[in-house]
Structures are given as C-alpha cells and as structure tokens.
Amino acid sequence: MIDWNIQCRAHACQACGRRFLDRQPYHTLLSDAKAGYDRLDVCEPCWAAQFSQGATSRKGFVSHWQGVFQVPPARPDPIHKETAESLLRKLVELNDPKHGAACFILAVMLERKRLLKVKYQPHRDGQRIFIYEQPGTGDVFTIADPNLRLDQLDPVQHAVAQLLEHGLNPPPEIARAPAASAETAGAPPADPAEAPFPVKSNEPTAVC
C-alpha cells in the first residue's frame, strides 16, 4: 500500500545542481516508483537538453508540468502565545503570590470581554477578594485585589504582555528583564477616575 505524501519543490535543479532564481521557470516530472512517487524538478536548459524529448516514454512516467519558482518568505520564529484565560488558569494553579497582580489584570481583561463574571466580592483580612465564574464551564476563580497604584500599572501590564507572548518559560533575555509582582503592590488603590480598567466597589456584592 502506498501512503499519501507531499514532496516539496526543490530549491535547485536536480539535474545540474544550480539553485533556482526567483521567478525562474522550471519543469517537474513525476514518476512511479516502488515506494511511491518520485518528483524531479529541473531548470529550463536541462529540460530542453535532457528531458523534453521522450519524457512521456521514460520509465515510470506519470506526469509533467511547468511552474515558476518563487523564493519562499523567511519563516518567523514560532512563538507560543497564551490566551488570557489559559494563562490565568496556569497562574492560579501555581498559587504564587508574586503573580497576584498579573492574575488581577488578566481577570479584569476577561471580565471586560465578558468571559468572566464577578459573582461575589468579600473581604478577607482587610483585603478585597473577587470571586469570578467562567460562565461556559462554571469554573470559579478567586482573585485578590492587589491595590495597584497608577505608577505600578505599566510594569504589571508589561509583565502580563510578556507572559501572554512568551508563556511562563520565556527566552533567557526576556526572563532577565525585571518583572512586576504583587509584592510591590501593597499601596493604596489608584484613583478610579484615572484607572485604565473598572475599579470595583468596596462593598461586598453578590451577583446572580
């Protein structure tokens, strides 16, 4: 049984070895072999000199076509990008206080997109807690309010952006950059009029 497969176009003539130039015409011959199909890409001169006469009578000949070579664009480095919800789940599972501010920012982002809903806002040991629910799954997230100051928002938002871009295991040069954490977020909350995200009420609220 022959498995289906894709054979990529060659980057050089398989007869003379010269690399194809951008927009250069080439010819492809497909032949039947025991292990499947063999593809042969050749330049125009080699086609005219070696393959054009009697191509269809060559052993195993299946098909022939002509194309124009295009230099493939450079591939960007594959970077795994987290979604806000998947990152929040990972950070909550880690239960590391240094990620408290990032968890809060992610939860607010998801709330604004209506992917999380606040169900309750209790206070514990003088700190406001947000009880979020993911409506689709029914999962509940407990997120503490880090009481971020305005001068702390930019570093935290930058740290969240880096986590979304590079995940929890960033490249060394990213990992060496200073990260914002909940440990620096113990000052009074930001002015509600200037905050870039909705500031919650201080009163415990149950939401149905």
Side-chain angles (χ1 to χ4, degrees):
M1 180 179 179
I2 299 175
D3 294 330
W4 291 98
N5 63 82
I6 299 175
Q7 297 185 50
C8 297
R9 177 189 58 194
H11 292 273
C13 174
Q14 293 174 289
C16 69
R18 293 180 180 176
R19 292 190 66 83
F20 292 129
L21 302 177
D22 193 33
R23 309 302 299 173
Q24 178 181 347
Y26 69 91
H27 293 260
T28 296
L29 292 93
L30 198 66
S31 59
D32 194 358
K34 292 182 179 179
Y37 293 105
D38 286 338
R39 173 177 180 167
L40 183 69
D41 297 317
V42 297
C43 64
E44 186 72 40
C46 288
W47 165 258
Q50 305 178 41
F51 299 96
S52 60
Q53 299 300 319
T56 59
S57 61
R58 294 173 65 90
K59 182 178 179 180
F61 175 84
V62 173
S63 182
H64 158 257
W65 63 86
Q66 185 175 6
V68 176
F69 184 82
Q70 295 182 359
V71 176
R75 292 185 178 182
D77 292 334
I79 298 177
H80 175 68
K81 293 186 178 181
E82 297 273 7
T83 66
E85 184 175 340
S86 67
L87 178 59
L88 177 62
R89 289 178 180 274
K90 291 179 181 180
L91 294 181
V92 169
E93 289 175 0
L94 288 176
N95 196 28
D96 190 331
K98 72 179 182 181
H99 295 309
C103 287
F104 176 72
I105 293 294
L106 288 166
V108 172
M109 290 169 56
L110 291 167
E111 181 188 356
R112 295 183 68 177
K113 293 182 179 180
R114 300 183 180 181
L115 298 176
L116 289 182
K117 290 184 177 181
V118 178
K119 305 301 289 184
Y120 192 55
Q121 298 180 37
H123 283 75
R124 182 185 303 161
D125 298 328
Q127 186 175 30
R128 181 170 50 174
I129 308 296
F130 294 101
I131 308 298
Y132 285 99
E133 182 188 44
Q134 212 283 4
T137 63
D139 293 341
V140 170
F141 299 81
T142 301
I143 307 295
D145 184 351
N147 291 324
L148 293 172
R149 298 191 311 265
L150 285 178
D151 61 350
Q152 296 171 324
L153 288 176
D154 282 346
V156 174
Q157 290 175 334
H158 177 74
V160 169
Q162 292 296 318
L163 287 169
L164 287 170
E165 182 74 13
H166 301 287
L168 292 174
N169 298 302
E173 63 274 12
I174 300 297
R176 285 194 294 266
S181 71
E183 296 172 354
T184 62
D191 183 349
E194 301 182 21
F197 46 78
V199 177
K200 312 296 180 182
S201 167
N202 289 324
E203 296 300 323
T205 304
V207 182
C208 299

